[in-house]
Amino acid sequence: MFKNYLKTALRNLWKNKAFSFINVMGLALGLTCSLLIMLWVNDEYNVDAFHKNGARLYSVYERQYRDGLVDAFHGGPGVMADEMKKVLPEVQYASNYAWSELSTFEANNKIIKEEGNHAGADFFRMFTYPLLAGKAETALQSPYDIAISKKMAEQFFGSPAAAIGKSIRYQNKKDLNVTAVFDNVPKSSTSQFDYILNWDSFLEINSWAKDWTNNGPRTYLTLREGTDAKTFERKISRFLDHYNKEQTPHSYIRLGIQRYGDMYLHSNFDKQGNLSGGRIQYVQLFSIVAIFILLIACINFMNLTTARSLKRSKEIGIRKVVGALRFALIRQFIGEALLIVFIAVLISLMIVILVLGKFNQLTGKEIQLPFSDSTFWGSIAALLLGTGFLSGSYPALYLSSFKPVRVLKGTLKFSNGALWFRKGLVVLQFMLSIVLIIGTIVVSKQVNFIQTYNLGYDRENLLYIPLEGDLLAKYELFKNKSLQMPGVKDISRITDLPTHIENGTGGVQWDGKDPNSDINFTQSAVGYDFTKTMHLKLVDGRDFSKDFKTDSVGYIINEAALKIIGYKGPVGKPLTFWQKKGKIIGVLKDFHFNSLHTEINPMVLRLGENIEWGAALVRTEPGKTKEALASLEKTCKELNPKFPFTYKFSDEEYQKLYKSEQVVGQLANYFAFLGIFISCLGLLGLVIFTAEQRTKEFGIRKVLGASPGSLFNLLSKEFLLLVMIAFVIASPIAWIGLHKWLENFVYKAGIAWWMFLVAGLVAVLIALITVSFQAIKAAVANPVKSLRTE
């Protein structure tokens, strides 16, 4: 029986090559998109999921309540981890964790820069990064201990085993002892590092982190088995009340915890300080896109199969006359659908293998097809069966319902219900495609808006050079020498990169300030010529200048800060920052120093010409970046020979803030194109079939004098009407979904009416092109041949 069904199915596929090709390729393309998205979604869910104790691993976050506003973020005092472990019996392990730093190391006559961090002694007990040498319990016990990666061990010492116990010089300041070597951190970890330093060494150079009123470093906890996370979270909510005595009824902090493995996908906080969204929205978005495209492909199959059902009606009638049961026919047609899907799955796997490299390049992933994973093959089988039954169920039920008497008498016709169902499927198909087109237009416009938005400063021809080693003491000499070199236009300095200034403080006072008010100001220290180098605009006052000795207690504020302070004629008015009384010397026009996801905060800039950290800001002359880099490298090697020359471009650092949006925009373009292409494949198949069904009608019409134009209109207007109906339904659905997505941005391009019009016109034009090829062919056909057709 099975062999007979298989023969029949293969015979039908071969007999109707055009329709078979459309069916198979439509499904193959739909399955390819779904498979790529499934692999991407699976990879997203696997980020940070490899830690053995992940279910008990948590990060502590703060909700800072200030004057009715809430600011929530992961971070806290730099001494909170040890204190929590000491006083809270539910905490098994605890570790503070700082921020990534690019540091210089020297050993065996090699000098190399590596990215790394500081962490507590429990770090490798909590996070299961595999240790190739050394022990987790003793890896970070003293300020002179360092754990390094396999890559770093091989670069300096040849192997992990050879690295243990060896000395390595850090930042040309002190010698450290290698106590552990861990395997290279996988891409599936959000924390990427090649070394970990002991936490006490961080506190030595960052004494502010010991103060309970300051925050910044993260606090990670491993809770003991059996601990209820919700109960524990309620317990620690007011934990800082015992340590931070600066809290008031108007300004206070409440703590919360989030499972570490959830932070990657659920990273955003709403205005009430509650966890709300993040990358999970993109995962959900593309999961929906995968379903959309697979539905479009399945609709193709259902439409074409039911449309061609009259061609198989006699076969079905004869089978029923000789005793075939309806269930047997249903089984046969479902089997045929599964065969087509099986062929499509094989083709889609081949396509995925071919395009996976480009897909990884686009998404920044290292996804591989997990051929040895039974779960993967289970997913493929589920996709095959699900698609097969979804696409084959209606045709099977419909075809098996034919009455043999009507079939054999030749009186079988499509019922109105069947016709309307097919039209409904076309509408649904194009509705999904139009939603994708509108989404692509809106996402692309928002990404372009971000990339071209006026930040308030010029990020072109601007680069950052870390101030480290001898450059800190020789900064003024470096500046003077570099300004005499080719290609260098202006130089200043700053403690934080201009694309990522997040340091906040409540320590700003001014005349007339409400004593109960506690407003958080963003702050940074800058050098002379800062506004000139950054191309910032001063709306009042001046920049820091060597001509004014009092600038050591002079402050520049932005417009957002001035609105809060409320001074009229602010220049020269008193301002106290961290208990240092001074005066406002300038007001900057607001500029963006973070991503466009957030509003511009009030900012205070202070003079930091001699601060022992930060970066040099270098403005190069247009078109002379290469000469400037050569000049800067020469100067740095001369003044700072123990440190390799490194730099970052401002525009590249800015683009990194929107990497997710850029990936989403590009993927949306590709998937929208594939969605509309698959829809057009199905539409083409239906037009071909309709033209075949109406061959004699067209022949008679031509004999009676119908023009090719009227025949073209007759065949195309029905399908174009369906596309228009799809557009009317798709527009409000797209608007609701995209409006929700744009809520993630404070500054946005918005949704305009013309985007919907363009999407509608694109859909109609593509449908018209698809229909016109076959419509013109039918309209100009010889009527004599048409009337001879049996």
Side-chain angles (χ1 to χ4, degrees):
M1 183 65 72
F2 173 76
K3 186 177 180 182
N4 183 47
Y5 286 164
L6 183 61
K7 275 185 178 180
T8 304
L10 292 174
R11 190 180 298 123
N12 274 304
L13 285 174
W14 185 251
K15 184 179 178 182
N16 304 291
K17 298 181 186 67
F19 286 92
S20 298
F21 176 80
I22 291 172
N23 258 341
V24 171
M25 287 311 299
L27 280 172
L29 290 174
L31 287 165
T32 299
C33 292
S34 298
L35 189 54
L36 286 172
I37 293 173
M38 183 184 78
L39 291 169
W40 181 80
V41 167
N42 184 62
D43 189 84
E44 288 286 287
Y45 276 112
N46 283 332
V47 171
D48 289 332
F50 59 90
H51 298 292
K52 292 179 181 178
N53 297 320
R56 298 188 286 125
L57 192 59
Y58 288 86
S59 174
V60 180
Y61 63 85
E62 288 190 3
R63 291 190 188 99
Q64 293 189 353
Y65 294 83
R66 298 172 182 267
D67 292 343
L69 301 176
V70 185
D71 185 22
F73 56 89
H74 285 271
V79 289
M80 189 160 67
D82 289 340
E83 186 66 13
M84 282 187 156
K85 183 180 178 182
K86 184 167 69 175
V87 304
L88 298 170
E90 297 90 344
V91 177
Q92 182 179 10
Y93 300 119
S95 173
N96 279 114
Y97 192 72
W99 37 84
S100 185
E101 293 179 346
L102 187 64
S103 302
T104 301
F105 293 90
E106 181 178 4
N108 291 334
N109 298 317
K110 296 178 182 176
I111 300 176
I112 302 173
K113 277 188 175 291
E114 299 288 359
E115 199 93 22
N117 215 313
H118 292 77
D122 285 344
F123 182 77
F124 287 105
R125 294 178 179 180
M126 302 168 66
F127 297 89
T128 50
Y129 298 104
L131 293 182
L132 305 178
K135 297 181 180 179
E137 296 80 6
T138 58
L140 298 170
Q141 292 298 308
S142 83
Y144 294 93
D145 290 346
I146 182 174
I148 62 176
S149 68
K150 176 186 177 183
K151 183 192 82 172
M152 194 168 166
E154 290 173 345
Q155 285 176 327
F156 282 111
F157 307 107
S159 70
I164 296 296
K166 296 293 173 52
S167 177
I168 187 169
R169 190 156 184 80
Y170 167 67
Q171 291 287 83
N172 200 32
K173 291 181 179 178
K174 65 178 181 180
D175 295 318
L176 302 173
N177 179 47
V178 179
T179 55
V181 178
F182 51 88
D183 202 357
N184 296 331
V185 176
K187 285 284 188 180
S188 57
S189 172
T190 51
S191 297
Q192 293 291 318
F193 51 86
D194 277 299
Y195 69 85
I196 294 290
L197 297 174
N198 171 272
W199 188 250
D200 291 335
S201 65
F202 177 84
L203 295 178
E204 283 179 5
I205 56 177
N206 295 279
S207 57
W208 58 267
K210 300 177 184 179
D211 192 329
W212 283 93
T213 63
N214 291 329
N215 57 67
R218 293 189 172 185
T219 299
Y220 296 138
L221 307 174
T222 299
L223 302 183
R224 296 188 185 278
E225 289 188 14
T227 301
D228 182 76
K230 291 293 182 184
T231 303
F232 177 75
E233 185 174 36
R234 288 193 293 269
K235 179 178 179 178
I236 68 166
S237 175
R238 302 174 69 102
F239 182 82
L240 290 180
D241 289 359
H242 305 288
Y243 303 93
N244 185 349
K245 301 303 181 182
E246 292 187 1
Q247 295 186 89
T248 69
H250 304 281
S251 176
Y252 55 91
I253 298 172
R254 297 291 178 260
L255 300 183
I257 58 171
Q258 182 182 16
R259 199 172 70 84
Y260 181 79
D262 294 337
M263 291 171 61
Y264 174 71
L265 292 179
H266 303 268
S267 57
N268 294 349
F269 293 90
D270 61 22
K271 292 182 179 180
Q272 286 72 46
N274 299 314
L275 289 162
S276 175
R279 283 186 67 91
I280 188 64
Q281 293 172 313
Y282 294 126
V283 170
Q284 293 167 344
L285 172 67
F286 281 110
S287 297
I288 293 170
V289 169
I291 295 170
F292 274 19
I293 292 177
L294 195 57
L295 271 176
I296 290 169
C298 290
I299 289 168
N300 267 2
F301 181 90
M302 296 166 72
N303 245 340
L304 292 174
T305 305
T306 52
R308 291 194 63 81
S309 58
L310 288 178
K311 294 284 187 179
R312 300 188 66 180
S313 59
K314 288 186 178 179
E315 173 198 341
I316 297 163
I318 292 170
R319 283 182 180 272
K320 283 197 169 187
V321 166
V322 297
L325 297 175
R326 187 179 184 192
F327 177 74
L329 292 171
I330 291 173
R331 186 171 56 190
Q332 176 190 344
F333 294 126
I334 289 288
E336 289 181 11
L338 288 172
L339 175 63
I340 292 173
V341 174
F342 177 73
I343 296 170
V345 166
L346 293 180
I347 295 172
S348 71
L349 282 172
M350 289 188 285
I351 296 173
V352 167
I353 292 170
L354 291 173
V355 304
L356 192 56
K358 289 290 184 183
F359 185 77
N360 283 333
Q361 187 178 347
L362 173 64
T363 59
K365 298 281 188 181
E366 291 184 350
I367 299 171
Q368 295 181 341
L369 280 170
F371 289 120
S372 59
D373 187 356
S374 59
T375 304
F376 170 73
W377 290 112
S379 301
I380 293 294
L383 194 62
L384 190 156
L385 292 172
T387 306
F389 279 101
L390 177 65
S391 59
S393 58
Y394 177 76
L397 292 169
Y398 179 73
L399 291 170
S400 64
S401 68
F402 287 173
K403 303 296 182 184
V405 175
R406 294 181 62 196
V407 169
L408 298 177
K409 281 184 177 180
T411 59
L412 179 67
K413 293 182 180 179
F414 283 122
S415 67
N416 287 332
L419 291 170
W420 280 110
F421 182 76
R422 281 200 298 116
K423 290 178 180 179
L425 290 178
V426 172
V427 169
L428 176 60
Q429 193 177 43
F430 269 88
M431 182 200 77
L432 298 176
S433 298
I434 290 168
V435 168
L436 288 176
I437 294 172
I438 296 171
T440 299
I441 294 171
V442 173
V443 170
S444 297
K445 185 164 175 47
Q446 179 64 20
V447 171
N448 183 65
F449 175 80
I450 289 168
Q451 293 172 334
T452 59
Y453 188 77
N454 181 9
L455 301 177
Y457 68 91
D458 183 6
R459 61 178 186 266
E460 298 294 327
N461 305 308
L462 181 66
L463 56 91
Y464 316 137
I465 298 173
L467 292 174
E468 55 187 351
D470 293 339
L471 274 188
L472 286 165
K474 298 176 181 178
Y475 165 71
E476 189 169 359
L477 178 61
F478 161 76
K479 178 177 179 179
N480 292 333
K481 290 195 71 169
S482 297
L483 287 173
Q484 305 303 316
M485 304 289 277
V488 180
K489 186 177 181 183
D490 296 305
I491 295 179
S492 185
R493 63 179 296 173
I494 190 171
T495 52
D496 309 272
L497 297 187
T499 48
H500 200 71
I501 304 176
E502 289 190 332
N503 288 326
T505 180
V508 180
Q509 306 293 326
W510 62 89
D511 288 355
K513 181 184 179 183
D514 184 346
N516 294 321
S517 175
D518 186 14
I519 298 170
N520 193 51
F521 285 75
T522 300
Q523 63 85 21
S524 190
V526 302
Y528 296 122
D529 303 318
F530 175 69
T531 60
K532 177 184 176 185
T533 303
M534 288 286 291
H535 289 183
L536 293 167
K537 184 178 180 181
L538 281 163
V539 295
D540 198 2
R542 59 176 176 81
D543 197 355
F544 295 110
S545 172
K546 291 180 181 180
D547 298 333
F548 296 88
K549 301 298 182 184
T550 55
D551 277 3
S552 59
V553 287
Y555 304 107
I556 297 175
I557 62 175
N558 66 352
E559 290 176 307
L562 180 59
K563 287 179 183 177
I564 292 171
I565 294 171
Y567 282 151
K568 303 295 183 182
V571 174
K573 295 290 179 64
L575 190 75
T576 301
F577 181 86
W578 288 350
Q579 299 180 348
K580 286 187 177 181
K581 294 182 177 180
K583 293 182 178 180
I584 297 172
I585 66 169
V587 179
L588 280 175
K589 185 175 179 60
D590 281 341
F591 70 98
H592 290 270
F593 44 84
N594 273 314
S595 80
L596 299 184
H597 291 285
T598 58
E599 294 179 347
I600 296 176
N601 289 334
M603 169 182 270
V604 175
L605 299 177
R606 67 190 193 280
L607 185 61
E609 190 75 6
N610 299 311
I611 289 180
E612 295 186 354
W613 75 88
L617 303 172
V618 181
R619 173 73 63 185
T620 63
E621 295 180 10
K624 296 184 179 180
T625 301
K626 184 179 286 188
E627 296 97 314
L629 287 173
S631 302
L632 292 165
E633 184 175 11
K634 179 181 178 182
T635 305
C636 286
K637 284 184 176 179
E638 180 184 331
L639 300 178
N640 201 25
K642 287 288 186 178
F643 289 77
F645 174 67
T646 57
Y647 59 90
K648 294 179 180 179
F649 287 108
S650 177
D651 53 353
E652 290 180 356
E653 292 302 299
Y654 178 74
Q655 294 299 329
K656 289 178 183 178
L657 298 175
Y658 309 101
K659 186 176 180 181
S660 294
E661 285 76 17
Q662 291 166 7
V663 170
V664 167
Q666 289 177 297
L667 289 179
N669 290 338
Y670 292 128
F671 291 140
F673 170 77
L674 284 171
I676 198 73
F677 180 74
I678 295 169
S679 297
C680 289
L681 276 179
L683 189 60
L684 177 62
L686 285 174
V687 173
I688 292 172
F689 177 76
T690 302
E692 284 181 2
Q693 290 293 100
R694 302 176 73 175
T695 301
K696 286 188 177 181
E697 176 194 341
F698 286 173
I700 293 169
R701 285 180 179 272
K702 290 194 75 174
V703 168
L704 295 176
S707 67
S710 64
L711 294 178
F712 174 81
N713 291 335
L714 187 66
L715 188 58
S716 61
K717 67 179 181 181
E718 176 184 348
F719 294 105
L720 294 180
L721 178 61
L722 296 179
V723 174
M724 293 302 297
I725 293 171
F727 169 73
V728 171
I729 298 172
S731 295
I733 295 172
W735 188 90
I736 292 169
L738 291 166
H739 182 74
K740 183 71 176 175
W741 178 71
L742 285 172
E743 286 179 356
N744 295 314
F745 298 88
V746 174
Y747 304 91
K748 47 204 167 198
I751 305 174
W753 62 268
W754 63 262
M755 300 177 185
F756 295 85
L757 180 61
V758 168
L761 290 175
V762 167
V764 169
L765 181 61
I766 292 173
L768 186 61
I769 293 171
T770 305
V771 171
S772 62
F773 172 76
Q774 188 62 30
I776 293 170
K777 183 180 177 182
V780 300
N782 189 335
V784 175
K785 291 183 179 180
S786 301
L787 295 174
R788 282 178 180 173
T789 304
E790 294 183 1

